């Protein structure tokens, strides 16, 4: 069994942006999911290199069109490597370029076949005629009346509704594809294969368009107008219309019309493909492409799957004029690849438009990844190392201990949790197969929440105090660890690096009987309990460090300003540590705008400098430990009311590497966002003990930085004995978060 997935090939006149990155991430996720199932998968991406637009961009840059394409391809390849989407990172299998000689051969073959064919109504599928119309170079498409804005001044050209640039009046001899004869055949195709165009709303849209009637399509330009393109076979005065050329890449890449490619990849082996596209180019894929294939007698694609567009947080289309585009360098500098992947798949309801904002990305990274998955992983593994000697314990509670275990409130029936997780797995896989990525991730996070709750309810740190409850404790630890293993397998296609990291920390990368990577596990075939007792866990490391929102936003805003104004060539790769996708791309001195649809020739340099965050009061770790002092003097009530004391609820708690006194808490004090608070209590409290606890917080203490983390408040604790042991102040009655203490 084989599977073939494609992204659109991107215009070689424009630098990669968030939209391209998104399509790549979706395709990469689908490909990894298929590979996990043991299906031989081919993932194709690449560049669309012909046409007037590229010719013009090259001219402006003083390059040949091929040099222009090489320049953009270089940039795309660096982007895909930086975001781990290339072959070296288990991503695409081939980067296709339409300037490749084998592509010329393949497209010419498709043209010849179509040119010989008759339409379903018995006419020649391709004929020579005369075309007169308005052409948008940026879209590389002729525009009908409803696709352009009429000029306001007499004699001026109409403008493209998408690009808002003047259209060119074209009047010349042209070959036509008799699309008008294919409407019925296309409608029959959509009807017989309801999954051919997905999601359903897009299917309806395409069907309505075809029902509205189809006009024949001009499929060539005179060479003297557009010379950079594939010559029409047997008529070198014409070059092929770029969409005929571009769409055909999906088959030429794998061997159509070229024996060498056929041997290297295999059209016979992999076709038909699943084409992943943005809704902006759905018509080309769901109407023109199937009609070309029908004419040439080639099998139809497996499916055309269209996603929505990214817009800014206020819902506006991203454009360089509005200055609301997302710079991939800035994105990659501040966020781990997996956080970006998770965010785009979780945030956009597939098929609809989605809003992209850095603040939302930070919030999701902190809540779902740092506090959610990351915290579950680190608390589970830390407890295994602390309470079970670093080895996954047995999950079995023997008959004679069942009653004892029951008394603690722990569910002795393991199938309660395994049943929940198996059900969630089935749902997750169904949703993933239906491209409902957002829902699938919600499902996966229901597992995170369920097991988090299991741990909090079972209170392993209490069980650990009672030797008789050893089996109960072990059962809880086993269930948590086995859940992590399942989560790795489920989440691998979405977050390959994080899933591998948890897998390694769980000790599975080197465990006999387990594949070295979650890439090697088919989640559909997983069985609960396959995690071997005795597996030695690896070193526990934080997965998703919490992002300091204020600081990061200030840095991003600075970078955006700098990248928009700077004109200095960027030094290669001065940024990006760890998992962040540092792109060492040299952009040219240019017009100072960042490219979304900007011409690559006008690409602005990337600024690598980010200003240091505003200085904060320096403090030491010891400052966070409450000091024991007697009451020395009196204050007025007015002084006391200066202190804003609030009730808070601990949402997350974790240790900080190399700071043995500090715990990093997030505390809900009734504000829109929880506070991050550092507390010097790590020697006296287990992080798990604090979860859900109501505490008293000094809310208007000036933020300060400890060990690189900002503390946005202080918790109150009694200081007991000579050593000043902290005992956290708490409430014995119900109190709402944010209630004031006075
Ligand atoms: N070259 C053609 C495609 C030919 S395929 C045979 C083309 N190229 S493009 O560079 O404009 O890239 C288009 C694709 O980029 C879209 O279909 C979509 O996949 C992606 N996106 C471009 N802008 C986008 C957003 N703002 N949001 C999401 N994806 C977008 O069209």
């Amino acid at each position: 069994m084989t599977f073939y997935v494609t992204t659109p090939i991107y215009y070689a006149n424009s630098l990669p942006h968030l939209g391209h990155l998104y399509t790549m991430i979706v395709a990469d996720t689908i490909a990894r999911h298929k590979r996990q199932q043991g299906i031989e998968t081919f993932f194709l991406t690449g560049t669309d290199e012909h046409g007037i637009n590229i010719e013009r961009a090259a001219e402006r840059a003083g390059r040949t069109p091929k040099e222009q394409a090489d320049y953009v391809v270089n940039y795309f390849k660096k982007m895909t490597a930086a975001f781990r989407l290339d072959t070296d990172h288990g991503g695409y299998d081939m980067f296709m370029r339409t300037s490749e000689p084998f592509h010329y051969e393949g497209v010419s073959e498709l043209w010849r076949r179509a040119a010989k064919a008759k339409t379903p109504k018995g006419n020649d599928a391709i004929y020579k005629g005369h075309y007169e119309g308005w052409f948008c170079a940026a879209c590389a498409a002729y525009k009908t009346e409803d696709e352009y804005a009429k000029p306001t001044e007499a004699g001026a050209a109409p403008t493209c509704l998408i690009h808002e640039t003047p259209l060119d009046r074209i009047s010349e001899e042209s070959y036509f594809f008799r699309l008008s004869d294919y409407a019925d055949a296309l409608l029959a195709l959509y009807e017989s294969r309801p999954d051919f165009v997905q999601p359903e709303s897009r299917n309806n849209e395409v069907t309505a368009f075809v029902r509205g009637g189809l006009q024949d399509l001009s499929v060539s330009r005179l060479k003297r107008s557009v010379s950079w393109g594939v010559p029409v076979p047997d008529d070198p005065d014409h070059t092929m219309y770029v969409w005929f050329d571009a769409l055909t890449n999906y088959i030429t890449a794998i061997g159509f019309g070229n024996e060498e490619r056929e041997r290297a990849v295999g059209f016979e082996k992999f076709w038909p493909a699943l084409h992943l596209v943005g809704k902006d180019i759905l018509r080309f894929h769901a109407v023109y492409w199937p009609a070309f294939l029908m004419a040439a007698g080639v099998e139809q694609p497996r499916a055309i799957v269209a996603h929505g567009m990214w817009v800014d947080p206020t819902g506006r289309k991203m454009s360089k004029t509005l200055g609301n585009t997302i710079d991939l360098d800035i994105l990659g500098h501040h966020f781990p690849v997996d956080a970006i992947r998770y965010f785009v798949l979780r945030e956009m309801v597939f098929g609809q438009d989605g809003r992209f904002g850095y603040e939302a990305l930070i919030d999701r990274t902190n809540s779902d990844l740092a506090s959610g998955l990351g915290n579950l992983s680190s608390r589970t593994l830390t407890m295994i190392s602390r309470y079970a000697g670093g080895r996954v314990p047995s999950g079995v509670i023997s008959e004679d201990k069942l009653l004892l275990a029951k008394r603690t409130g722990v569910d002795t029936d393991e199938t309660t949790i395994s049943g929940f997780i198996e059900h969630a797995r089935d749902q997750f896989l169904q949703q993933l197969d239906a491209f409902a990525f957002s829902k699938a991730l919600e499902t996966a996070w229901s597992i995170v929440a369920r097991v988090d709750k299991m741990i909090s309810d079972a209170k392993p740190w209490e069980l650990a105090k009672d030797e008789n409850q050893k089996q109960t404790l072990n059962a809880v630890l086993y269930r948590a660890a086995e859940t992590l293993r399942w989560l790795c397998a489920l989440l691998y296609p979405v977050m390959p690096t994080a899933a591998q990291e948890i897998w390694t920390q769980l000790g599975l990368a080197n465990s006999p009987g387990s594949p070295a990577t979650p890439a090697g596990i088919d989640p559909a075939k997983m069985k609960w309990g396959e995690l071997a007792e005795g597996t030695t866990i690896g070193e526990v490391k934080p997965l998703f460090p919490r992002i300091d929102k204020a600081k990061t936003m200030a840095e991003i805003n600075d970078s955006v300003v700098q990248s928009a104004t700077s004109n200095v060539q960027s030094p290669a790769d001065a940024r990006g540590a760890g998992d962040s996708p540092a792109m060492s791309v040299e952009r040219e001195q240019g017009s100072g705008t960042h490219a979304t649809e900007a011409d690559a020739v006008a690409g602005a340099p990337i600024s690598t400098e980010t200003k240091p965050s505003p200085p904060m009061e320096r403090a030491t770790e010891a400052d966070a430990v409450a000091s024991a002092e007697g009451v020395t003097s009196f204050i007025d009530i007015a002084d006391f009311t200066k202190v804003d004391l609030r009730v808070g609820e601990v949402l997350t708690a974790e240790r900080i590497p190399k700071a043995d006194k500090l715990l990093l808490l997030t505390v809900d004090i009734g504000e829109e966002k929880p506070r991050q608070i550092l507390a010097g209590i790590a020697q006296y409290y287990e992080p798990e003990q604090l979860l859900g606890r109501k505490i008293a917080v000094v809310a208007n203490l000036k933020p300060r930085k400890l060990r690189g983390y900002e503390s946005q408040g202080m918790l109150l604790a009694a200081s007991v004995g000579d050593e000043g042991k902290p005992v956290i102040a708490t409430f014995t009655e119900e109190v709402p978060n944010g209630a004031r203490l006075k």
Side-chain angles (χ1 to χ4, degrees):
M1 197 157 145
T2 63
F3 185 80
Y4 179 28
V5 61
T6 66
T7 72
I9 45 171
Y10 305 106
Y11 286 130
N13 64 322
S14 166
L15 296 178
H17 57 73
L18 177 68
H20 304 134
L21 178 65
Y22 174 68
T23 313
M24 301 281 301
I25 290 174
V26 175
D28 186 73
T29 302
I30 296 171
R32 285 175 198 267
H33 173 53
K34 294 289 176 189
R35 290 192 188 116
Q36 254 188 326
Q37 297 166 50
I39 298 171
E40 195 180 351
T41 298
F42 198 79
F43 166 14
L44 181 78
T45 191
T47 37
D48 184 355
E49 306 192 357
H50 292 131
I52 187 72
N53 220 22
I54 283 119
E55 222 173 299
R56 285 182 185 167
E59 215 173 272
R60 281 198 298 277
R63 301 189 179 107
T64 64
K66 178 69 168 62
E67 285 166 354
Q68 167 65 22
D70 290 346
Y71 174 73
V72 171
V73 166
N74 184 34
Y75 205 103
F76 263 95
K77 287 197 172 165
K78 281 178 174 153
M79 182 277 272
T80 53
F83 287 89
R84 297 169 184 250
L85 294 158
D86 61 345
T87 314
D88 287 348
H89 294 96
Y92 64 70
D93 293 285
M94 180 186 173
F95 193 98
M96 173 67 183
R97 300 187 56 176
T98 52
S99 57
E100 295 273 6
F102 69 77
H103 175 69
Y104 277 54
E105 275 180 44
V107 193
S108 304
E109 173 63 18
L110 192 82
W111 181 288
R112 276 192 211 100
R113 289 200 197 178
K116 271 194 249 150
K118 296 284 181 207
T119 68
K121 296 189 175 164
N123 299 309
D124 288 342
I126 290 182
Y127 64 94
K128 209 181 222 180
H130 202 80
Y131 188 85
E132 178 144 351
W134 292 107
F135 185 81
C136 172
C139 295
Y142 288 104
K143 296 282 159 175
T144 52
E145 220 168 304
D146 56 340
E147 292 170 326
Y148 58 69
K150 298 220 169 68
T152 42
E153 286 168 38
T159 47
C160 170
L161 287 181
I162 297 167
H163 295 91
E164 296 169 13
T165 46
L167 302 180
D168 296 325
R169 186 72 186 164
I170 305 285
S171 170
E172 61 183 28
E173 183 186 85
S174 169
Y175 283 95
F176 283 82
F177 180 79
R178 208 180 297 273
L179 189 64
S180 55
D181 274 8
Y182 286 87
D184 291 342
L186 287 168
L187 290 171
L189 170 68
Y190 308 146
E191 205 177 329
S192 66
R193 290 175 53 186
D195 289 344
F196 185 68
V197 180
Q198 296 181 54
E200 201 186 333
S201 55
R202 300 285 164 223
N203 189 9
N204 299 339
E205 203 176 287
V206 168
T207 307
F209 173 76
V210 175
R211 280 214 184 101
L214 295 173
Q215 288 181 1
D216 292 350
L217 198 65
S218 163
V219 285
S220 78
R221 295 287 308 275
L222 279 179
K223 192 172 169 56
R224 64 166 192 269
S225 317
V226 182
S227 62
W228 178 233
V230 184
V232 166
D234 310 319
D235 193 349
D237 287 346
H238 284 259
T239 39
M240 285 182 204
Y241 170 51
V242 283
W243 275 99
F244 192 94
D245 155 8
L247 288 160
T248 310
N249 96 89
Y250 298 134
I251 55 175
T252 60
I254 55 172
F256 179 87
N258 181 284
E259 278 177 21
E260 210 181 300
R261 296 287 322 148
E262 174 63 27
R263 276 195 300 275
V265 188
F267 171 76
E268 290 300 329
K269 180 171 174 186
F270 285 105
W271 188 254
L274 181 145
H275 297 313
L276 189 70
V277 299
K279 68 175 188 188
D280 54 332
I281 53 172
L282 178 60
R283 186 182 300 176
F284 298 96
H285 284 81
V287 182
Y288 300 173
W289 179 227
F292 297 157
L293 291 173
M294 279 177 195
V298 177
E299 191 187 341
Q300 292 298 323
R302 181 188 293 264
I304 320 289
V305 179
H307 64 71
M309 297 283 126
W310 283 104
V311 295
D312 79 5
T314 59
R316 291 174 310 174
K317 192 183 157 209
M318 288 181 179
S319 85
K320 57 175 174 146
T321 335
L322 290 172
N324 59 355
T325 57
I326 300 299
D327 185 315
L328 294 187
D329 293 309
I330 296 176
L331 184 66
H333 175 56
H334 290 282
F335 302 93
V337 173
D338 279 5
I340 299 165
R341 291 173 70 107
Y342 171 77
F343 178 79
V344 293
L345 293 172
R346 175 69 183 80
E347 199 73 6
M348 189 184 256
V349 173
F350 192 83
Q352 295 173 21
D353 289 352
R355 294 176 185 218
F356 188 98
Y358 286 116
E359 300 212 12
L361 170 55
I362 296 173
D363 290 343
R364 272 217 184 276
T365 305
N366 284 345
S367 62
D368 298 6
L369 301 180
S371 304
L373 180 65
N375 193 43
L376 174 65
S377 168
S378 66
R379 75 195 294 212
T380 301
L381 296 169
T382 306
M383 288 192 292
I384 291 178
S385 88
R386 192 164 302 154
Y387 305 136
R391 285 165 160 256
V392 174
S394 158
V396 178
I397 305 176
S398 56
E399 283 290 326
D400 57 321
K401 300 278 185 205
L402 277 179
L403 210 58
L404 206 62
K406 271 192 185 133
R407 276 197 215 130
T408 65
V410 168
D411 192 339
T412 50
D413 182 1
E414 195 179 9
T415 60
T416 311
I417 192 95
S418 64
F420 177 91
I421 288 163
E422 279 160 7
H423 177 70
R425 177 266 312 267
D426 295 346
Q427 228 182 343
F428 175 91
L429 294 178
Q430 255 172 26
Q431 289 160 334
L432 207 63
D433 284 332
F435 313 105
F437 302 104
S438 184
K439 277 199 193 133
L441 289 170
E442 250 179 70
T443 304
W445 258 254
S446 74
I447 299 178
V448 174
R450 178 70 182 78
V451 174
D452 255 336
K453 184 169 180 321
M454 175 195 79
I455 296 173
S456 302
D457 289 350
K459 300 193 186 63
W461 48 94
E462 295 289 337
L463 297 173
K465 291 179 191 154
D466 182 352
E467 196 44 43
N468 285 324
Q469 293 293 2
K470 188 85 188 147
Q471 289 193 6
T472 320
L473 170 66
N474 285 348
V476 173
L477 298 183
Y478 183 87
R479 291 170 197 180
E482 175 63 337
T483 305
L484 273 185
R485 188 179 73 96
W486 279 58
L487 281 170
C488 288
L490 294 180
L491 294 176
Y492 164 77
V494 175
M495 297 195 286
T497 312
Q500 180 66 58
E501 185 56 41
I502 302 178
W503 195 259
T504 304
Q505 293 188 27
L506 253 177
L508 293 173
N510 297 310
S511 167
S514 164
T517 150
I521 283 244
D522 178 358
K525 298 201 179 118
M526 285 182 100
K527 299 242 175 334
W528 180 267
E530 283 170 336
L531 174 62
E533 175 191 338
T535 305
T536 309
I537 63 164
E539 191 192 340
V540 184
K541 291 184 237 154
L543 278 176
F544 291 100
R546 179 163 286 281
I547 297 174
D548 181 334
K549 189 169 178 183
K551 178 169 167 277
T552 304
M553 283 311 298
E555 285 174 4
I556 288 173
N557 290 334
D558 268 358
S559 311
V560 170
V561 171
Q562 285 183 29
S563 72
T565 52
S566 165
N567 250 343
V568 185
Q569 181 123 4
S570 82
D573 198 9
R575 77 189 78 78
D579 199 22
S580 286
M583 283 206 278
S584 68
V585 175
E586 288 175 27
R587 293 203 211 184
E588 301 188 333
Q589 307 251 358
S591 68
T593 48
H594 258 296
T596 299
E597 282 167 14
D599 287 344
V601 286
I606 314 161
S607 162
T608 58
E609 295 286 309
T610 49
K611 282 206 181 125
S613 54
M616 289 200 210
E617 237 177 52
R618 292 199 66 79
T620 63
E621 194 182 323
D623 290 352
V625 182
S627 73
E629 277 178 26
V631 177
T632 50
S633 61
F634 293 99
I635 57 166
D636 283 337
I637 185 77
D639 287 326
F640 174 70
T641 51
K642 283 187 198 154
V643 185
D644 189 358
L645 290 171
R646 300 282 172 163
V647 173
E649 180 183 347
V650 180
L651 301 179
T652 66
E654 57 190 287
R655 292 184 183 276
I656 296 178
K658 300 202 190 91
D660 53 9
K661 290 184 182 156
L662 287 178
L663 286 187
L664 179 67
L665 313 177
T666 45
V667 183
D668 177 359
I669 62 162
E671 295 171 333
E672 202 185 327
K673 297 274 174 287
R675 296 272 186 114
Q676 170 170 293
I677 294 179
L678 289 155
I681 53 173
Q683 288 162 316
Y684 302 93
Y685 285 90
E686 289 302 325
E688 295 82 8
Q689 271 174 282
L690 300 174
L691 298 178
R693 187 137 165 193
K694 296 276 183 172
I695 58 171
V697 172
V698 184
N700 61 342
L701 201 62
K702 198 167 176 183
R704 56 186 183 165
K705 217 168 183 184
L706 294 165
R707 296 292 175 121
Y709 294 87
E710 183 179 315
S711 186
Q712 303 156 337
M714 187 173 94
L715 63 77
L716 293 188
S719 179
V720 178
D722 290 344
E723 56 169 337
K725 177 185 170 197
V727 176
I728 295 173
T730 190
F731 300 88
T732 51
E733 288 157 70
E734 268 302 301
V735 270
N737 298 343
R740 185 152 191 181
L741 278 78
K742 47 187 189 174

